[in-house]
Amino acid sequence: MSTNHDTELRFKKIPFNFRGGSMPALGFGTLFPDLVVTRSAVTNALRVGFRHFDCAERYLNEHEVGEALQGEIAAGAVAREDVFITTKLWNTNHRPERVGPAFDASCERGASQFLAG
């Protein structure tokens, strides 16, 4: 069953309280055990309208998520500025001195080209 609420939520953005900007309200989770499925699922999610992708260091597929995103951006299917990525650090990386290096490692593993763009 589809309602106007479904459509409104699909395109809803949540505004930030600091420095402006916003993020899509709905995120696409990227926990897939198969790396080929990861690439395919992320590509298909982009094609049907998802713009927020929820990743994690622990999923061990950041490279494949980044490849799928970069491929669709390079093809002109989506603009870089329309995509929002969130990620989670593994529990051992929550100490303040470990956050920066863990974030940098996530960028290097997966989406370094994507994030730099």
Side-chain angles (χ1 to χ4, degrees):
M1 181 169 128
S2 180
T3 67
N4 286 342
H5 297 298
D6 295 335
T7 303
E8 291 171 12
L9 185 58
R10 182 176 176 199
F11 298 105
K12 182 172 177 60
K13 290 193 172 200
I14 300 168
F16 295 136
N17 290 329
F18 181 70
R19 293 191 180 175
S22 63
M23 67 182 274
L26 290 179
F28 185 80
T30 61
L31 175 56
F32 297 100
D34 183 281
L35 301 179
V36 173
V37 171
T38 298
R39 279 191 294 273
S40 176
V42 171
T43 298
N44 288 329
L46 274 167
R47 291 179 180 172
V48 300
F50 279 93
R51 296 297 181 261
H52 175 187
F53 292 85
D54 179 49
C55 306
E57 175 181 357
R58 179 68 176 103
Y59 299 169
L60 304 176
N61 63 4
E62 292 170 315
H63 180 75
E64 288 71 23
V65 172
E67 281 183 341
L69 294 171
Q70 187 62 32
E72 291 299 293
I73 290 168
V78 63
R80 164 60 185 99
E81 58 271 9
D82 292 336
V83 179
F84 192 91
I85 305 294
T86 56
T87 194
K88 296 170 284 301
L89 302 177
W90 186 241
N91 293 336
T92 57
N93 290 326
H94 289 190
R95 301 191 89 189
E97 66 275 10
R98 297 188 88 169
V99 170
F103 175 77
D104 291 342
S106 282
C107 291
E108 284 300 315
R109 276 190 298 276
S112 60
Q113 290 179 343
F114 171 74
L115 291 171

